[in-house]
Amino acid sequence: MHVSGLTKSFGPRTLFSGVSFRLGPGDRLAVAGRNGAGKTTLLRILAGAEHADAGSVAIPRGERVALHDQAPDAGGTGSVRDYVEEGLAHAREAESAIAALEARMAAGDHGPATLSAYERALADLDAAGGYHWRSWVERVTRGLGLTGDHLDRPLASLSGGELTRASLARALAGRPQVLLLDEPTNHLDLEAMEWLEGIVRDLRAAVVIVSHDRWFLESTATAVLDLSNGRARLWPMRYSAFRIARAEDDAQQVAAADRRREEMERLERFVTRWRAGTRARQAKSRAKRLGRLEPIVAPTREKALSFGFPRTERPGRVVLEADGLRVEVAGRVLVDDAGFTIERGQRVAVIGPNGAGKTTMIETLLGRREVAAGRVSIGHKVLPSYFSQHAREYDGRRTPAEIVKAGTSLTEAEARTLLGRFLFPRDVADRAVEALSGGERRRLALVELVAEGGNLLVLDEPTNHLDVESREALEDALLAYDGTVVLVSHDRALIDVVATHTLALEGGTAVMRAGGYADLVEVREATAQGGGNTATAVIRPAAGERRARGPSSGRLAREVSRLESRIAGLEADLTGVEAEVAGASEAGDVETVILLGERHRALQHDLSSAMAEWEERAATLAESP
């Protein structure tokens, strides 16, 4: 992909101009910028869904482009499987072409055009994943949490989050040469995010990523395109290195602008003083020099969220305690026999797969849901403040200033000062809530949370609709907060920076561990390898239960390794056969082409079987204790 000089404006506002870059297979570009900088618009232009005002996008002939939109179109009929496999029409076409060409050759059509078409069809099918492309689809959908039940449902029955995952599966399943991902980690649990990172890194595609997930960007991106103030700059480095380098570059530019301004002011003072004096000649020379100088424009960054929590009343040592806790929803047990204690000053991240009951758990701890069994107690002098992932219901006719004053004891000036820290200038603070965006409403809920002054913050997905800078401001505020925090979030960077402990919903119960997200990953890796401290390891079933579930994890791991070696060998054999087909086709050796075609089909069949077996064994190994 070669992008040159892209420019896009909406009315008098220029989103970006002069966007240029080149991406090859395996290159992964993160697009950075504040909300509204034009990141999604850029992706849609690259996909051909929107037109640029100027510039060009060149993609080699025959290369496929797939866009995962963060808000996919809910239209369409048929099943989820049909929707996902729409991106694989080329695989079906290649299979049909091969079958038709083989029938023609068997009937005696051995012309060079037929042989050449057969060679192209084999190459097309190989590019689509070969005869085992259906196994690839199963792998992708399973990795994104779309099980067989999901795949057979009508597309129209999906929730917004399910539709987003289906859109991502469709983009990945087609194995495009250019993959465009707009907020791909939305609606994924931590396990699916980790799976997606590995897939994106392994793809031999040119990938462009827009995401607020800093952990995902750091793990996948090989370069960063920064959109800021209508301009674009390419940084050929990882995301964390880009953030550091950009800050250093900004500081140097500010210093250079200050030096240039001081120099121009000094020259101007000299010229003004000596223009008609005894040093008129020097003044004339310096006036010429002043005329040649241009001011250096210092970089400007949009104002970022900046706030802190007020000091809170000190509660007792134990803030929350659960003993023998069972959490149920509609008769379904989510957590059973859980026991843990959250102490003053701890910051606990509640984690688990989608559907594990994270929101239900925290609402049970707060007394908003009934305890099915066991006990939950809130400590002495604990004042909880709850931030829900669901938008608060506001009277749309009221303004943010009115809402904050009515819900707190703040004065007019204090309320407006607090709103200003959350990027609500006077004109927005006096605007009806019904005119606010989703992100602005989330920030308004944060304003109310800060104003409540609770000493226990319970936060459910607080970073939704916040850009990277605002997420970092929230991190800073939580780190400086003197109370206790219970947090549900898919933002792994936030968890790793803020959390002192994790409460993992796994194996039907809740396991408390010290440390942030990186510590949790280390524990899980050690546990998977048979190591780790037994005090922090995942709760395991008894030996008899393990035997009842199937083969040991050690034997499964050996089988998976054996299958991976077999798959690699089959793929190498396929590559060799395809090279022989090309040579025989050029030589017009019809019999050899037909024999090689049969060999190619046999290898593809063996590879498909091996892939299916590997998928089954790998899934069993992942689920084994």
Side-chain angles (χ1 to χ4, degrees):
M1 170 186 282
H2 185 197
V3 176
S4 179
L6 288 185
T7 298
K8 182 67 175 180
S9 299
F10 285 111
R13 181 185 173 220
T14 299
L15 275 183
F16 48 77
S17 63
V19 175
S20 300
F21 58 86
R22 187 189 297 269
L23 293 181
D27 293 335
R28 300 182 297 274
L29 180 69
V31 183
R34 299 295 296 272
N35 290 345
K39 303 186 293 294
T40 292
T41 300
L42 175 61
L43 283 194
R44 293 183 59 80
I45 291 172
L46 298 180
E50 286 193 27
H51 295 290
D53 299 330
S56 63
V57 178
I59 297 172
R61 183 184 300 274
E63 290 197 353
R64 296 183 306 281
V65 180
L67 168 65
H68 164 63
D69 198 320
Q70 63 172 301
D73 185 1
T77 59
S79 69
V80 176
R81 189 186 302 277
D82 296 334
Y83 175 75
V84 170
E85 292 183 1
E86 281 178 7
L88 284 151
H90 57 290
R92 296 183 187 277
E93 291 169 1
E95 280 186 339
S96 298
I98 288 171
L101 289 165
E102 286 175 346
R104 285 169 56 183
M105 289 189 291
D109 182 356
H110 302 149
T114 300
L115 296 178
S116 178
Y118 186 63
E119 179 188 343
R120 287 196 305 273
L122 288 176
D124 290 344
L125 184 60
D126 183 65
Y131 284 99
H132 63 278
W133 61 265
R134 292 174 181 83
S135 296
W136 167 250
V137 173
E138 294 295 331
R139 180 183 175 191
V140 167
T141 52
R142 186 187 302 123
L144 294 175
L146 296 171
T147 63
D149 291 341
H150 282 95
L151 295 176
D152 295 331
R153 287 170 53 188
L155 184 66
S157 71
L158 297 188
S159 67
E162 290 170 332
L163 180 62
T164 300
R165 284 185 282 143
S167 168
L168 180 57
R170 181 174 63 167
L172 293 172
R175 294 182 185 267
Q177 284 77 34
V178 179
L179 178 62
L180 310 173
L181 300 175
D182 193 1
E183 298 294 351
T185 62
N186 282 0
H187 305 288
L188 298 185
D189 57 28
L190 298 182
E191 183 179 357
M193 289 181 191
E194 292 170 354
W195 176 89
L196 179 61
E197 285 171 2
I199 288 293
V200 170
R201 287 195 301 264
D202 291 343
L203 285 174
R204 292 297 298 165
V207 186
V208 184
I209 307 164
V210 170
S211 178
H212 287 127
D213 189 326
R214 294 158 291 169
W215 193 290
F216 183 81
L217 294 178
E218 178 65 19
S219 176
T220 58
T222 57
V224 180
L225 180 72
D226 183 29
L227 300 182
S228 179
N229 299 313
R231 297 186 295 273
R233 180 174 177 183
L234 187 66
W235 299 77
M237 59 190 67
R238 288 197 171 277
Y239 184 72
S240 59
F242 148 71
R243 297 295 303 280
I244 295 170
R246 188 183 68 175
E248 292 174 347
D249 186 74
D250 282 356
Q252 292 171 2
Q253 289 291 316
V254 169
D258 289 343
R259 289 194 299 271
R260 175 61 57 85
R261 186 187 68 255
E262 291 171 358
E263 181 183 11
M264 294 177 72
E265 289 173 352
R266 185 174 63 253
L267 290 171
E268 189 173 3
R269 286 194 300 270
F270 187 94
V271 170
T272 300
R273 181 175 180 182
W274 300 106
R275 179 180 289 115
T278 57
R279 305 176 69 179
R281 181 177 298 177
Q282 293 95 322
K284 185 176 181 181
S285 173
R286 295 189 185 186
K288 290 181 180 179
R289 181 181 173 189
L290 178 62
R292 292 193 297 267
L293 291 179
E294 293 287 342
I296 295 176
V297 179
T300 58
R301 298 288 172 195
E302 295 181 30
K303 187 177 180 182
L305 192 71
S306 176
F307 69 98
F309 292 95
R311 294 196 64 81
T312 62
E313 182 179 6
R314 184 180 175 88
R317 182 180 64 84
V318 174
V319 173
L320 279 172
E321 188 171 32
D323 182 31
L325 175 63
R326 179 188 300 163
V327 178
E328 295 182 0
V329 172
R332 174 177 165 238
V333 178
L334 300 175
V335 173
D336 195 20
D337 196 26
F340 53 86
T341 300
I342 298 175
E343 298 185 359
R344 181 182 59 238
Q346 291 181 345
R347 298 187 294 271
V348 180
V350 182
I351 63 174
N354 289 343
K358 300 183 292 294
T359 296
T360 305
M361 168 63 85
I362 61 174
E363 291 187 346
T364 301
L365 295 178
L366 288 173
R368 291 171 174 252
R369 289 178 178 267
E370 291 292 330
V371 173
R375 176 182 60 86
V376 172
S377 59
I378 296 180
H380 181 59
K381 291 188 177 180
V382 173
L383 302 173
S385 291
Y386 180 45
F387 182 90
S388 172
Q389 66 172 299
H390 305 293
R392 294 195 183 190
E393 294 293 331
Y394 292 114
D395 180 346
R397 296 166 297 180
R398 304 186 74 187
T399 68
E402 291 171 343
I403 289 170
V404 173
K405 284 188 295 180
T408 69
S409 59
L410 299 180
T411 65
E412 172 85 15
E414 289 171 337
R416 291 191 177 277
T417 298
L418 183 58
L419 284 164
R421 290 175 184 166
F422 283 81
L423 309 184
F424 287 98
R426 176 172 288 274
D427 62 322
V428 180
D430 291 333
R431 186 181 301 166
V433 168
E434 62 187 6
L436 300 183
S437 67
E440 287 170 330
R441 294 189 189 205
R442 295 288 285 178
R443 282 192 275 116
L444 179 56
L446 277 174
V447 173
E448 291 189 281
L449 185 79
V450 170
E452 286 174 4
N455 54 20
L456 168 62
L457 298 182
V458 181
L459 310 174
D460 193 1
E461 298 294 353
T463 59
N464 285 356
H465 304 292
L466 295 184
D467 57 26
V468 169
E469 287 78 8
S470 295
R471 292 179 184 216
E472 292 176 343
L474 177 61
E475 287 173 4
D476 292 340
L478 291 175
L479 288 172
Y481 176 60
D482 64 357
T484 306
V485 179
V486 177
L487 166 73
V488 172
S489 179
H490 286 98
D491 189 332
R492 292 165 292 173
L494 175 71
I495 293 172
D496 197 53
V497 169
V498 169
T500 61
H501 295 73
T502 57
L503 182 65
L505 306 188
E506 54 189 30
T509 189
V511 181
M512 182 79 79
R513 298 184 179 94
Y517 184 73
D519 301 293
L520 176 67
V521 171
E522 289 181 8
V523 168
R524 287 182 167 173
E525 288 176 350
T527 302
Q529 296 167 7
N533 188 319
T534 57
T536 58
V538 177
I539 295 176
R540 297 175 176 273
E545 293 175 331
R546 291 201 300 272
R547 283 194 295 272
R549 291 187 182 186
S552 68
S553 59
R555 197 178 96 203
L556 278 171
R558 289 191 295 272
E559 290 180 4
V560 168
S561 179
R562 174 184 62 79
L563 286 165
E564 287 172 346
S565 298
R566 174 166 168 73
I567 288 168
L570 288 169
E571 288 175 338
D573 290 345
L574 273 171
T575 301
V577 168
E578 287 162 3
E580 291 182 50
V581 168
S585 177
E586 290 179 8
D589 188 345
V590 176
E591 289 187 11
T592 301
V593 169
I594 294 174
L595 289 173
L596 288 171
E598 294 174 354
R599 171 68 174 151
H600 190 275
R601 286 197 306 279
L603 285 170
Q604 286 281 16
H605 180 271
D606 291 346
L607 181 58
S608 181
S609 298
M611 284 291 296
E613 188 177 357
W614 177 86
E615 289 284 345
E616 181 182 348
R617 294 288 189 273
T620 304
L621 178 62
E623 294 169 359
S624 66

